[in-house]
Amino acid sequence: MMKLINKATAVILLSILLTMALTGCQSNNAKSPEAAQNSAEKNTSNEQAKGKGALNSTTAPASENSKGQSAEVIKEGSMEKEGNVVLKELAFVYNKHTIAISDTANEDQMEQMLGKPDNLKSHTYSADDGTNMDMLIGFTEKVYTYPGLEIKTISIPKGKQDSIFHIEITDPKYATVRNIKAGDSLDTLKNAYPEGKLLGNGGPNEEDDFRYEPSNYVDVMSFHIKDAKVESIQIYSLLD
């Protein structure tokens, strides 16, 4: 009987020891829920930091490229033009082409910039042509007509280079370099060209001309105003 009790006691003690050993192993290998959560959050934070770093390394050049591209984007009316500062103001913009008074432009160049004209007229001044333009004898004038746009060029007898001396605009798709076009209000025009002035009284229901005239008094931009809106734009250079 005593042997059986001792054997049972030994079995119980062995079971207790095994249970304690297993519990110790589990405590070493498994963390508490709070520790596990903290560890997971730390790992997530590390992964996010790594991801953020990777994102920055990927997007930084794109951001720089975007900045470079935005710097290259030419806003209508802000295109720079070589040469005389006055002349680059007396111009209009169409399809990223800036066309100004005194620009040289032959028929091929005009077609490249504006397309084929609806009509093209050419006239060489002479003493008996009935125009009484003696100072232009030997000069050839060409008139390019497009819907809402007319451009006149003149060629020097010796150089034979055609240069623009007159532009008239009635279509709003052709805007000046300060982005004023037919149909804009008089107030918008005044804000864009504060140096200009109305030649008449400038009543809201009357016709008038608003003139932007640089200091050389030879090259002019004139806006015809009707019902307080720009009806047409003329850019021209006085021929000597």
PDB file of all heavy atoms in Angstrom, residues 4-34:
ATOM      1  N   LEU A   4       2.342   1.974  -3.412  1.00  0.00           N
ATOM      2  CA  LEU A   4       1.431   2.596  -4.353  1.00  0.00           C
ATOM      3  C   LEU A   4       1.306   4.090  -4.099  1.00  0.00           C
ATOM      4  O   LEU A   4       1.236   4.898  -5.030  1.00  0.00           O
ATOM      5  CB  LEU A   4       0.036   1.925  -4.234  1.00  0.00           C
ATOM      6  CG  LEU A   4      -0.036   0.487  -4.729  1.00  0.00           C
ATOM      7  CD1 LEU A   4      -1.409  -0.114  -4.422  1.00  0.00           C
ATOM      8  CD2 LEU A   4       0.257   0.424  -6.222  1.00  0.00           C
ATOM      9  N   ILE A   5       1.259   4.492  -2.829  1.00  0.00           N
ATOM     10  CA  ILE A   5       1.146   5.922  -2.498  1.00  0.00           C
ATOM     11  C   ILE A   5       2.380   6.662  -2.973  1.00  0.00           C
ATOM     12  O   ILE A   5       2.312   7.749  -3.544  1.00  0.00           O
ATOM     13  CB  ILE A   5       0.945   6.099  -0.979  1.00  0.00           C
ATOM     14  CG1 ILE A   5      -0.414   5.541  -0.565  1.00  0.00           C
ATOM     15  CG2 ILE A   5       1.055   7.560  -0.571  1.00  0.00           C
ATOM     16  CD1 ILE A   5      -0.640   5.474   0.945  1.00  0.00           C
ATOM     17  N   ASN A   6       3.544   6.054  -2.694  1.00  0.00           N
ATOM     18  CA  ASN A   6       4.795   6.708  -3.116  1.00  0.00           C
ATOM     19  C   ASN A   6       4.862   6.844  -4.632  1.00  0.00           C
ATOM     20  O   ASN A   6       5.342   7.840  -5.177  1.00  0.00           O
ATOM     21  CB  ASN A   6       5.995   5.894  -2.595  1.00  0.00           C
ATOM     22  CG  ASN A   6       6.120   6.000  -1.075  1.00  0.00           C
ATOM     23  OD1 ASN A   6       5.630   6.955  -0.475  1.00  0.00           O
ATOM     24  ND2 ASN A   6       6.769   5.009  -0.440  1.00  0.00           N
ATOM     25  N   LYS A   7       4.384   5.749  -5.304  1.00  0.00           N
ATOM     26  CA  LYS A   7       4.404   5.813  -6.779  1.00  0.00           C
ATOM     27  C   LYS A   7       3.480   6.895  -7.306  1.00  0.00           C
ATOM     28  O   LYS A   7       3.825   7.646  -8.220  1.00  0.00           O
ATOM     29  CB  LYS A   7       3.989   4.434  -7.314  1.00  0.00           C
ATOM     30  CG  LYS A   7       4.156   4.324  -8.810  1.00  0.00           C
ATOM     31  CD  LYS A   7       3.806   2.915  -9.268  1.00  0.00           C
ATOM     32  CE  LYS A   7       4.000   2.807 -10.753  1.00  0.00           C
ATOM     33  NZ  LYS A   7       3.703   1.459 -11.259  1.00  0.00           N
ATOM     34  N   ALA A   8       2.280   7.001  -6.710  1.00  0.00           N
ATOM     35  CA  ALA A   8       1.321   8.042  -7.139  1.00  0.00           C
ATOM     36  C   ALA A   8       1.870   9.428  -6.881  1.00  0.00           C
ATOM     37  O   ALA A   8       1.742  10.346  -7.684  1.00  0.00           O
ATOM     38  CB  ALA A   8      -0.002   7.841  -6.394  1.00  0.00           C
ATOM     39  N   THR A   9       2.537   9.568  -5.689  1.00  0.00           N
ATOM     40  CA  THR A   9       3.126  10.875  -5.348  1.00  0.00           C
ATOM     41  C   THR A   9       4.207  11.247  -6.349  1.00  0.00           C
ATOM     42  O   THR A   9       4.324  12.395  -6.800  1.00  0.00           O
ATOM     43  CB  THR A   9       3.708  10.841  -3.932  1.00  0.00           C
ATOM     44  OG1 THR A   9       2.669  10.487  -3.025  1.00  0.00           O
ATOM     45  CG2 THR A   9       4.290  12.177  -3.552  1.00  0.00           C
ATOM     46  N   ALA A  10       4.997  10.252  -6.723  1.00  0.00           N
ATOM     47  CA  ALA A  10       6.084  10.512  -7.690  1.00  0.00           C
ATOM     48  C   ALA A  10       5.522  10.950  -9.037  1.00  0.00           C
ATOM     49  O   ALA A  10       6.038  11.856  -9.695  1.00  0.00           O
ATOM     50  CB  ALA A  10       6.953   9.250  -7.833  1.00  0.00           C
ATOM     51  N   VAL A  11       4.428  10.290  -9.446  1.00  0.00           N
ATOM     52  CA  VAL A  11       3.801  10.645 -10.731  1.00  0.00           C
ATOM     53  C   VAL A  11       3.278  12.082 -10.702  1.00  0.00           C
ATOM     54  O   VAL A  11       3.431  12.860 -11.637  1.00  0.00           O
ATOM     55  CB  VAL A  11       2.668   9.657 -11.071  1.00  0.00           C
ATOM     56  CG1 VAL A  11       1.866  10.152 -12.263  1.00  0.00           C
ATOM     57  CG2 VAL A  11       3.256   8.281 -11.344  1.00  0.00           C
ATOM     58  N   ILE A  12       2.639  12.436  -9.574  1.00  0.00           N
ATOM     59  CA  ILE A  12       2.092  13.801  -9.438  1.00  0.00           C
ATOM     60  C   ILE A  12       3.199  14.831  -9.471  1.00  0.00           C
ATOM     61  O   ILE A  12       3.120  15.871 -10.142  1.00  0.00           O
ATOM     62  CB  ILE A  12       1.281  13.915  -8.136  1.00  0.00           C
ATOM     63  CG1 ILE A  12       0.018  13.058  -8.229  1.00  0.00           C
ATOM     64  CG2 ILE A  12       0.906  15.366  -7.849  1.00  0.00           C
ATOM     65  CD1 ILE A  12      -0.737  12.907  -6.924  1.00  0.00           C
ATOM     66  N   LEU A  13       4.303  14.532  -8.705  1.00  0.00           N
ATOM     67  CA  LEU A  13       5.441  15.473  -8.682  1.00  0.00           C
ATOM     68  C   LEU A  13       6.050  15.622 -10.062  1.00  0.00           C
ATOM     69  O   LEU A  13       6.409  16.718 -10.504  1.00  0.00           O
ATOM     70  CB  LEU A  13       6.496  14.972  -7.669  1.00  0.00           C
ATOM     71  CG  LEU A  13       6.115  15.092  -6.189  1.00  0.00           C
ATOM     72  CD1 LEU A  13       7.171  14.431  -5.320  1.00  0.00           C
ATOM     73  CD2 LEU A  13       5.943  16.572  -5.802  1.00  0.00           C
ATOM     74  N   LEU A  14       6.130  14.494 -10.788  1.00  0.00           N
ATOM     75  CA  LEU A  14       6.692  14.544 -12.137  1.00  0.00           C
ATOM     76  C   LEU A  14       5.810  15.389 -13.056  1.00  0.00           C
ATOM     77  O   LEU A  14       6.297  16.184 -13.874  1.00  0.00           O
ATOM     78  CB  LEU A  14       6.829  13.125 -12.680  1.00  0.00           C
ATOM     79  CG  LEU A  14       7.459  13.002 -14.089  1.00  0.00           C
ATOM     80  CD1 LEU A  14       8.859  13.592 -14.106  1.00  0.00           C
ATOM     81  CD2 LEU A  14       7.510  11.539 -14.516  1.00  0.00           C
ATOM     82  N   SER A  15       4.487  15.223 -12.912  1.00  0.00           N
ATOM     83  CA  SER A  15       3.550  16.023 -13.736  1.00  0.00           C
ATOM     84  C   SER A  15       3.699  17.504 -13.445  1.00  0.00           C
ATOM     85  O   SER A  15       3.680  18.359 -14.345  1.00  0.00           O
ATOM     86  CB  SER A  15       2.106  15.575 -13.451  1.00  0.00           C
ATOM     87  OG  SER A  15       1.950  14.223 -13.806  1.00  0.00           O
ATOM     88  N   ILE A  16       3.852  17.841 -12.142  1.00  0.00           N
ATOM     89  CA  ILE A  16       4.009  19.259 -11.761  1.00  0.00           C
ATOM     90  C   ILE A  16       5.272  19.828 -12.352  1.00  0.00           C
ATOM     91  O   ILE A  16       5.302  20.943 -12.898  1.00  0.00           O
ATOM     92  CB  ILE A  16       4.001  19.392 -10.231  1.00  0.00           C
ATOM     93  CG1 ILE A  16       2.607  19.041  -9.669  1.00  0.00           C
ATOM     94  CG2 ILE A  16       4.401  20.795  -9.803  1.00  0.00           C
ATOM     95  CD1 ILE A  16       2.553  18.933  -8.148  1.00  0.00           C
ATOM     96  N   LEU A  17       6.374  19.059 -12.285  1.00  0.00           N
ATOM     97  CA  LEU A  17       7.654  19.522 -12.823  1.00  0.00           C
ATOM     98  C   LEU A  17       7.574  19.735 -14.329  1.00  0.00           C
ATOM     99  O   LEU A  17       8.081  20.724 -14.874  1.00  0.00           O
ATOM    100  CB  LEU A  17       8.755  18.513 -12.469  1.00  0.00           C
ATOM    101  CG  LEU A  17       9.158  18.441 -10.991  1.00  0.00           C
ATOM    102  CD1 LEU A  17      10.135  17.275 -10.757  1.00  0.00           C
ATOM    103  CD2 LEU A  17       9.777  19.758 -10.535  1.00  0.00           C
ATOM    104  N   LEU A  18       6.907  18.793 -15.012  1.00  0.00           N
ATOM    105  CA  LEU A  18       6.762  18.935 -16.469  1.00  0.00           C
ATOM    106  C   LEU A  18       5.929  20.166 -16.843  1.00  0.00           C
ATOM    107  O   LEU A  18       6.230  20.902 -17.774  1.00  0.00           O
ATOM    108  CB  LEU A  18       6.117  17.661 -17.049  1.00  0.00           C
ATOM    109  CG  LEU A  18       7.010  16.406 -17.083  1.00  0.00           C
ATOM    110  CD1 LEU A  18       6.206  15.192 -17.525  1.00  0.00           C
ATOM    111  CD2 LEU A  18       8.201  16.629 -18.012  1.00  0.00           C
ATOM    112  N   THR A  19       4.874  20.380 -16.063  1.00  0.00           N
ATOM    113  CA  THR A  19       4.009  21.554 -16.315  1.00  0.00           C
ATOM    114  C   THR A  19       4.768  22.841 -16.124  1.00  0.00           C
ATOM    115  O   THR A  19       4.667  23.786 -16.916  1.00  0.00           O
ATOM    116  CB  THR A  19       2.794  21.525 -15.374  1.00  0.00           C
ATOM    117  OG1 THR A  19       2.082  20.309 -15.590  1.00  0.00           O
ATOM    118  CG2 THR A  19       1.879  22.717 -15.642  1.00  0.00           C
ATOM    119  N   MET A  20       5.575  22.900 -15.061  1.00  0.00           N
ATOM    120  CA  MET A  20       6.354  24.114 -14.788  1.00  0.00           C
ATOM    121  C   MET A  20       7.393  24.332 -15.879  1.00  0.00           C
ATOM    122  O   MET A  20       7.641  25.467 -16.319  1.00  0.00           O
ATOM    123  CB  MET A  20       7.058  23.971 -13.427  1.00  0.00           C
ATOM    124  CG  MET A  20       6.114  24.003 -12.230  1.00  0.00           C
ATOM    125  SD  MET A  20       6.978  23.729 -10.656  1.00  0.00           S
ATOM    126  CE  MET A  20       8.030  25.163 -10.598  1.00  0.00           C
ATOM    127  N   ALA A  21       7.987  23.247 -16.353  1.00  0.00           N
ATOM    128  CA  ALA A  21       9.004  23.371 -17.409  1.00  0.00           C
ATOM    129  C   ALA A  21       8.387  23.894 -18.694  1.00  0.00           C
ATOM    130  O   ALA A  21       8.922  24.780 -19.364  1.00  0.00           O
ATOM    131  CB  ALA A  21       9.673  21.999 -17.633  1.00  0.00           C
ATOM    132  N   LEU A  22       7.206  23.330 -19.046  1.00  0.00           N
ATOM    133  CA  LEU A  22       6.530  23.789 -20.265  1.00  0.00           C
ATOM    134  C   LEU A  22       6.116  25.248 -20.160  1.00  0.00           C
ATOM    135  O   LEU A  22       6.214  26.028 -21.102  1.00  0.00           O
ATOM    136  CB  LEU A  22       5.299  22.908 -20.541  1.00  0.00           C
ATOM    137  CG  LEU A  22       5.605  21.478 -21.003  1.00  0.00           C
ATOM    138  CD1 LEU A  22       4.322  20.650 -21.057  1.00  0.00           C
ATOM    139  CD2 LEU A  22       6.280  21.505 -22.373  1.00  0.00           C
ATOM    140  N   THR A  23       5.641  25.645 -18.987  1.00  0.00           N
ATOM    141  CA  THR A  23       5.216  27.046 -18.783  1.00  0.00           C
ATOM    142  C   THR A  23       6.382  27.993 -18.934  1.00  0.00           C
ATOM    143  O   THR A  23       6.292  29.069 -19.527  1.00  0.00           O
ATOM    144  CB  THR A  23       4.597  27.215 -17.384  1.00  0.00           C
ATOM    145  OG1 THR A  23       3.509  26.311 -17.256  1.00  0.00           O
ATOM    146  CG2 THR A  23       4.130  28.636 -17.165  1.00  0.00           C
ATOM    147  N   GLY A  24       7.549  27.588 -18.422  1.00  0.00           N
ATOM    148  CA  GLY A  24       8.756  28.421 -18.535  1.00  0.00           C
ATOM    149  C   GLY A  24       9.173  28.603 -19.973  1.00  0.00           C
ATOM    150  O   GLY A  24       9.561  29.689 -20.405  1.00  0.00           O
ATOM    151  N   CYS A  25       9.093  27.504 -20.732  1.00  0.00           N
ATOM    152  CA  CYS A  25       9.477  27.601 -22.155  1.00  0.00           C
ATOM    153  C   CYS A  25       8.543  28.527 -22.911  1.00  0.00           C
ATOM    154  O   CYS A  25       8.958  29.322 -23.742  1.00  0.00           O
ATOM    155  CB  CYS A  25       9.445  26.198 -22.785  1.00  0.00           C
ATOM    156  SG  CYS A  25      10.796  25.125 -22.208  1.00  0.00           S
ATOM    157  N   GLN A  26       7.240  28.407 -22.627  1.00  0.00           N
ATOM    158  CA  GLN A  26       6.268  29.261 -23.323  1.00  0.00           C
ATOM    159  C   GLN A  26       6.472  30.721 -22.987  1.00  0.00           C
ATOM    160  O   GLN A  26       6.332  31.603 -23.812  1.00  0.00           O
ATOM    161  CB  GLN A  26       4.845  28.826 -22.951  1.00  0.00           C
ATOM    162  CG  GLN A  26       4.475  27.477 -23.559  1.00  0.00           C
ATOM    163  CD  GLN A  26       3.116  27.021 -23.106  1.00  0.00           C
ATOM    164  OE1 GLN A  26       2.495  27.653 -22.247  1.00  0.00           O
ATOM    165  NE2 GLN A  26       2.655  25.905 -23.672  1.00  0.00           N
ATOM    166  N   SER A  27       6.823  30.978 -21.709  1.00  0.00           N
ATOM    167  CA  SER A  27       7.020  32.378 -21.316  1.00  0.00           C
ATOM    168  C   SER A  27       8.239  32.972 -21.989  1.00  0.00           C
ATOM    169  O   SER A  27       8.325  34.170 -22.212  1.00  0.00           O
ATOM    170  CB  SER A  27       7.155  32.501 -19.788  1.00  0.00           C
ATOM    171  OG  SER A  27       8.322  31.800 -19.363  1.00  0.00           O
ATOM    172  N   ASN A  28       9.219  32.106 -22.261  1.00  0.00           N
ATOM    173  CA  ASN A  28      10.427  32.615 -22.923  1.00  0.00           C
ATOM    174  C   ASN A  28      10.187  32.855 -24.400  1.00  0.00           C
ATOM    175  O   ASN A  28      10.720  33.791 -24.986  1.00  0.00           O
ATOM    176  CB  ASN A  28      11.585  31.603 -22.745  1.00  0.00           C
ATOM    177  CG  ASN A  28      12.097  31.589 -21.320  1.00  0.00           C
ATOM    178  OD1 ASN A  28      11.980  32.569 -20.601  1.00  0.00           O
ATOM    179  ND2 ASN A  28      12.665  30.446 -20.897  1.00  0.00           N
ATOM    180  N   ASN A  29       9.370  31.972 -25.021  1.00  0.00           N
ATOM    181  CA  ASN A  29       9.186  32.072 -26.467  1.00  0.00           C
ATOM    182  C   ASN A  29       8.058  33.003 -26.864  1.00  0.00           C
ATOM    183  O   ASN A  29       8.054  33.556 -27.949  1.00  0.00           O
ATOM    184  CB  ASN A  29       8.890  30.672 -27.063  1.00  0.00           C
ATOM    185  CG  ASN A  29      10.102  29.764 -26.965  1.00  0.00           C
ATOM    186  OD1 ASN A  29      11.235  30.232 -26.994  1.00  0.00           O
ATOM    187  ND2 ASN A  29       9.875  28.449 -26.826  1.00  0.00           N
ATOM    188  N   ALA A  30       7.050  33.176 -26.029  1.00  0.00           N
ATOM    189  CA  ALA A  30       5.906  34.035 -26.363  1.00  0.00           C
ATOM    190  C   ALA A  30       5.934  35.291 -25.532  1.00  0.00           C
ATOM    191  O   ALA A  30       6.314  35.263 -24.383  1.00  0.00           O
ATOM    192  CB  ALA A  30       4.608  33.247 -26.096  1.00  0.00           C
ATOM    193  N   LYS A  31       5.534  36.398 -26.137  1.00  0.00           N
ATOM    194  CA  LYS A  31       5.495  37.682 -25.429  1.00  0.00           C
ATOM    195  C   LYS A  31       4.087  37.954 -24.948  1.00  0.00           C
ATOM    196  O   LYS A  31       3.123  37.380 -25.440  1.00  0.00           O
ATOM    197  CB  LYS A  31       5.948  38.801 -26.356  1.00  0.00           C
ATOM    198  CG  LYS A  31       7.393  38.646 -26.819  1.00  0.00           C
ATOM    199  CD  LYS A  31       7.774  39.788 -27.730  1.00  0.00           C
ATOM    200  CE  LYS A  31       9.215  39.647 -28.234  1.00  0.00           C
ATOM    201  NZ  LYS A  31       9.598  40.723 -29.125  1.00  0.00           N
ATOM    202  N   SER A  32       3.983  38.871 -24.006  1.00  0.00           N
ATOM    203  CA  SER A  32       2.665  39.276 -23.531  1.00  0.00           C
ATOM    204  C   SER A  32       1.953  40.009 -24.650  1.00  0.00           C
ATOM    205  O   SER A  32       2.586  40.537 -25.558  1.00  0.00           O
ATOM    206  CB  SER A  32       2.825  40.202 -22.319  1.00  0.00           C
ATOM    207  OG  SER A  32       3.436  41.411 -22.712  1.00  0.00           O
ATOM    208  N   PRO A  33       0.612  40.082 -24.638  1.00  0.00           N
ATOM    209  CA  PRO A  33      -0.124  40.798 -25.690  1.00  0.00           C
ATOM    210  C   PRO A  33       0.348  42.230 -25.852  1.00  0.00           C
ATOM    211  O   PRO A  33       0.463  42.738 -26.950  1.00  0.00           O
ATOM    212  CB  PRO A  33      -1.589  40.733 -25.201  1.00  0.00           C
ATOM    213  CG  PRO A  33      -1.622  39.504 -24.342  1.00  0.00           C
ATOM    214  CD  PRO A  33      -0.290  39.415 -23.687  1.00  0.00           C
ATOM    215  N   GLU A  34       0.657  42.900 -24.742  1.00  0.00           N
ATOM    216  CA  GLU A  34       1.091  44.297 -24.829  1.00  0.00           C
ATOM    217  C   GLU A  34       2.447  44.386 -25.502  1.00  0.00           C
ATOM    218  O   GLU A  34       2.700  45.232 -26.344  1.00  0.00           O
ATOM    219  CB  GLU A  34       1.151  44.902 -23.419  1.00  0.00           C
ATOM    220  CG  GLU A  34       1.567  46.373 -23.430  1.00  0.00           C
ATOM    221  CD  GLU A  34       1.562  46.956 -22.034  1.00  0.00           C
ATOM    222  OE1 GLU A  34       1.151  46.232 -21.103  1.00  0.00           O
ATOM    223  OE2 GLU A  34       1.959  48.116 -21.884  1.00  0.00           O
TER     224      GLU A  34
END
